[in-house]
Amino acid sequence: MSGKADPRTAGERTTSRARLERGRGALGPALELVHTGRAPTRAVLTAELGVTRATAGAVAAELEALGLIRVDARPGAAAGSQGRPSHRLEIAEDGPVALAAQVHADGFRAALVGLGGRIVATAPGCETVDADPAKVLGSVVEAGAELLRTTGRRCVGAGLAVPSAVAEPDGLALNPLHLAWPVGAPVRRTFEECVRAAGITGPAFAGNDVNLAALAEHRHGAGRGARDLLCVATGHRGVGGALVLDGRLHTGSSGLALEVGHLTVNPEGRPCHCGSRGCLDVEADPLALLIEAGRAPGPEMSLLQQANDLLRTQYADPAVRTAAEALIDRLGLGLAGLVNILNPDRIILGGLHRTLLDADPERLRAVVADRSLWGQSGGVPILPCTLDHDSLVGAAELAWQPVLDDPLGALR
């Protein structure tokens, strides 16, 4: 038996290495395509990246070696395609996860989120929020750390969603009005300290909850495929907005863009926390619906759940219907103003606004069309958000972004 290396084998290895080197710069774009569901097969990946089939194969193999995706050799082809069926590309079910945390007026929750926006595990939510941010964030991070210990998953980093504008570059919560936290609380630094104290590796991030919901919906939900996506949502208290432009969140010069909650939609309306009156924030959130319908909020469940339940189970009640119509009209007025300014190609609604849209979609669309300059001729689609925990998924997207940018650098 000869000790010489087979030149064909050596040549194949050299060629394979060359293909991978050419494809290294495509690892991040390739992972993002699989992550967002835009490359279900190797053939689609090849076309989207604009590389040869061999290079796409090397890139997919490297992502698989990193434990991020799985290449299924059983052929799969998109409907209407011709030629040889291509290998399917799937997220690795046992791959790494990001720790996602969310704090809102009625509690907090932690989850582990894998690639593709898939929630792997969640911790039971807490229903009380301390006035000290450090205590709250320490508790939610510990809940997430317990999930990591239980599942044994590798963690790429952590992301936090909060119901406040988060100013950059310092990560300060400027208006946590419904949390009783101090204005300017250093939420990102505090969150990062809690993450390190829990022994969790990887970078830590923080952002506004509606911004992160919009990011998640754009990548995995109702906003997928939109170029200029406007998201407006009301969670447990208040109203928030976000804009995604060409796949990136538009956060303004210091992270404070799209504070849509302070658009005036009822000049003679309720006093707002900002010092104005009749803002969307206090005219179209769950508390506003309950008050408008003559229902006293109870302590047994969150305001959001009470408002949603009221619409879903008692919409036939004239008082409830009248209240819902008042909120729809105010919301529509605010959306029309945003359409005139931003010219989005899609609007998605979350929280109570999603339920209002479900209750009377034609009324809301008619108000927006009637009040916006281009509504009659263009007709901006208005759709409900589709992810159940979009702010949590969006928080995880913050932690996944360094991996999407540079898989090799982030994981090795």
Side-chain angles (χ1 to χ4, degrees):
M1 187 175 189
S2 172
K4 294 182 179 180
D6 185 340
R8 290 174 301 177
T9 303
E12 289 169 358
R13 286 199 298 268
T14 301
T15 302
S16 178
R17 282 197 299 271
R19 287 171 182 158
L20 183 56
E21 286 303 320
R22 286 197 300 272
R24 281 262 159 84
L27 283 176
L31 182 60
E32 184 164 342
L33 286 166
V34 179
H35 172 59
T36 56
R38 290 178 289 154
T41 68
R42 200 167 63 185
V44 176
L45 182 68
T46 302
E48 289 287 338
L49 292 177
V51 298
T52 65
R53 187 167 62 185
T55 298
V59 168
E62 180 71 5
L63 293 175
E64 185 173 38
L66 289 171
L68 297 170
I69 72 170
R70 186 168 72 90
V71 180
D72 190 344
R74 294 173 299 174
S81 63
Q82 297 179 353
R84 187 173 63 185
S86 178
H87 290 10
R88 288 178 292 194
L89 305 179
E90 301 170 348
I91 300 300
E93 291 186 359
D94 58 349
V97 295
L99 168 60
Q102 181 180 10
V103 179
H104 51 73
D106 292 305
F108 60 77
R109 179 178 293 274
L112 304 182
V113 183
L115 282 168
R118 185 172 66 89
I119 296 179
V120 174
T122 59
C126 174
E127 296 180 356
T128 58
V129 178
D130 195 275
D132 181 356
K135 290 183 179 179
V136 179
L137 298 183
S139 296
V140 72
V141 168
E142 181 50 42
E146 180 59 29
L147 289 176
L148 288 170
R149 288 190 289 268
T150 301
T151 61
R153 294 293 189 102
R154 178 181 181 181
C155 184
V156 300
L160 168 69
V162 292
S164 167
V166 178
E168 298 298 341
D170 299 320
L172 308 179
L174 291 189
N175 61 338
L177 299 172
H178 305 297
L179 296 181
W181 287 1
V183 173
V187 290
R188 187 171 63 213
R189 187 189 71 203
T190 304
F191 182 61
E192 184 174 15
E193 290 170 352
C194 293
V195 167
R196 296 288 164 267
I200 299 171
T201 58
F205 305 89
N208 170 260
D209 53 1
V210 179
N211 276 353
L212 299 182
L215 182 61
E217 292 285 346
H218 186 266
R219 291 182 174 180
H220 309 293
R224 185 181 291 172
R227 192 189 70 167
D228 299 329
L229 175 69
L230 172 64
C231 175
V232 176
T234 177
H236 296 259
R237 290 291 304 274
V239 175
L243 185 66
V244 179
L245 299 176
D246 290 325
R248 298 287 178 181
L249 276 172
H250 174 71
T251 56
S253 61
S254 57
L256 307 179
L258 270 291
E259 280 292 302
V260 305
H262 300 291
L263 288 171
T264 299
V265 293
N266 183 12
E268 305 302 321
R270 300 177 180 86
C272 182
H273 314 281
C274 71
S276 186
R277 180 177 289 275
C279 294
L280 202 59
D281 208 55
V282 292
E283 296 288 338
D285 79 338
L287 182 60
L289 177 71
L290 295 171
I291 293 172
E292 197 82 26
R295 301 300 202 270
E300 65 279 359
M301 63 181 71
S302 72
L303 292 172
L304 177 60
Q305 186 175 343
Q306 291 177 62
N308 279 333
D309 288 350
L310 185 66
L311 286 176
R312 290 167 179 159
T313 63
Q314 300 182 48
Y315 192 68
D317 184 321
V320 175
R321 180 183 290 272
T322 300
E325 290 174 348
L327 261 71
I328 288 171
D329 291 348
R330 295 168 196 162
L331 174 61
L333 182 61
L335 292 178
L338 292 168
V339 167
N340 290 337
I341 296 168
L342 302 172
N343 188 28
D345 59 13
R346 193 180 309 175
I347 299 171
I348 58 173
L349 302 179
L352 177 64
H353 294 165
R354 175 171 62 174
T355 312
L356 287 168
L357 177 64
D358 291 340
D360 197 342
E362 296 310 314
R363 185 183 186 96
L364 180 60
R365 293 184 176 114
V367 173
V368 175
D370 184 56
R371 294 290 191 137
S372 57
L373 291 172
W374 317 119
Q376 296 287 2
S377 58
V380 183
I382 303 175
L383 305 173
C385 292
T386 57
L387 302 179
D388 288 335
H389 301 288
D390 47 16
S391 292
L392 269 177
V393 174
E397 290 295 320
L398 293 179
W400 274 114
Q401 192 60 52
V403 181
L404 298 174
D405 291 338
D406 180 10
L408 275 175
L411 297 181
R412 288 186 174 174

